[in-house]
Amino acid sequence: MDSSSTGGDRRQATRQKLYEAAVTLIAEQGFSSTTVDEIAERAGVAKGTVYYNFQSKAGLFEALLRHGVGLLTAALREAAERTAAAGDGPVVALDAMIRAGLVFIDRYPAFTQLYVAELWRTNRAWQATLGVVRQEVVAVVEETLTEGVAAGELSEEIDVPLTAAALVGMVLVAALDWQAFQPERSLAEVHGALSLLLRGRVAGRPG
């Protein structure tokens, strides 16, 4: 195996450990109260490894936001592409994206809590990055909504950017409420409820 490839894999594995340690600690005690020493100890690496990979704690958190939202964006896009390949339309794709979002949140609840909390904060060093990664997620939904309007499955009166943001927000908030207050519900139940909202409000036709 190529030594450069091995080194890259090793560095990525180290970064993954640091992401997991940081997201867990920051979810437990907040960004300000979490130290680089604690992140390094939780990840099982030397303190210098954090600075070698990210320069600072803020740099690590900014990279964590990009990494986590990148995974969510990829999951939504893959769901849309899978439904398109199966010959299904945009509304089915939106429904598949809702489920993919719930699966992601169920798998990464601590990251989702951090991401939603940071959306409401201001004057953070990573505010610009947060805006960029938020738009990456929303843009995937916007694409599918636009396709739905063009195909006649969705009303031309839909405000695509606002509706896309609302759908993403609906999934995030509903999933966090599910985990915090209704953990006895299954993912299928939550998906079913959101699917009805999608089809009744976004995909519904005027009577």
Side-chain angles (χ1 to χ4, degrees):
M1 180 180 292
D2 186 276
S3 59
S4 62
S5 176
T6 301
D9 291 344
R10 189 159 47 240
R11 186 177 186 190
Q12 187 55 43
T14 299
R15 282 177 166 246
Q16 185 62 38
K17 288 181 182 178
L18 290 169
Y19 289 144
E20 292 172 359
V23 75
T24 302
L25 286 167
I26 295 171
E28 290 174 354
Q29 56 196 36
F31 178 82
S32 298
S33 298
T34 300
T35 67
V36 171
D37 285 320
E38 289 174 320
I39 293 171
E41 182 179 358
R42 180 70 66 93
V45 301
K47 180 179 179 179
T49 302
V50 179
Y51 292 111
Y52 173 75
N53 282 276
F54 301 105
Q55 285 75 58
S56 66
K57 184 177 70 169
L60 168 56
F61 190 74
E62 185 170 341
L64 172 62
L65 287 173
R66 289 186 179 276
H67 175 70
V69 175
L71 291 176
L72 174 57
T73 302
L76 297 184
R77 190 174 297 282
E78 192 278 331
E81 291 174 350
R82 187 175 62 250
T83 55
D88 294 316
V91 173
V92 175
L94 289 169
D95 189 53
M97 292 163 78
I98 286 175
R99 188 181 191 285
L102 292 173
V103 169
F104 174 88
I105 295 165
D106 190 43
R107 184 176 181 184
Y108 302 107
F111 172 78
T112 306
Q113 291 169 16
L114 284 181
Y115 173 65
V116 172
E118 289 302 315
L119 286 173
W120 295 101
R121 298 184 191 277
T122 57
N123 300 321
R124 293 289 209 185
W126 48 82
Q127 198 68 33
T129 295
L130 191 62
V132 170
V133 296
R134 171 206 166 273
Q135 184 54 37
E136 288 176 1
V137 177
V138 173
V140 179
V141 183
E142 285 183 3
E143 290 172 13
T144 304
L145 286 170
T146 299
E147 291 170 5
V149 172
E153 287 194 33
L154 303 176
S155 171
E156 293 182 357
E157 296 179 358
I158 286 178
D159 184 321
V160 171
L162 186 58
T163 301
L167 286 173
V168 172
M170 175 185 74
V171 174
L172 290 171
V173 174
L176 291 178
D177 184 87
W178 159 42
Q179 293 177 340
F181 302 109
Q182 305 180 65
E184 72 282 357
R185 290 186 178 274
S186 68
L187 190 149
E189 285 181 295
V190 179
H191 174 225
L194 297 187
S195 181
L196 285 176
L197 282 175
L198 167 70
R199 295 177 184 279
R201 298 301 182 187
V202 175
R205 308 298 294 178

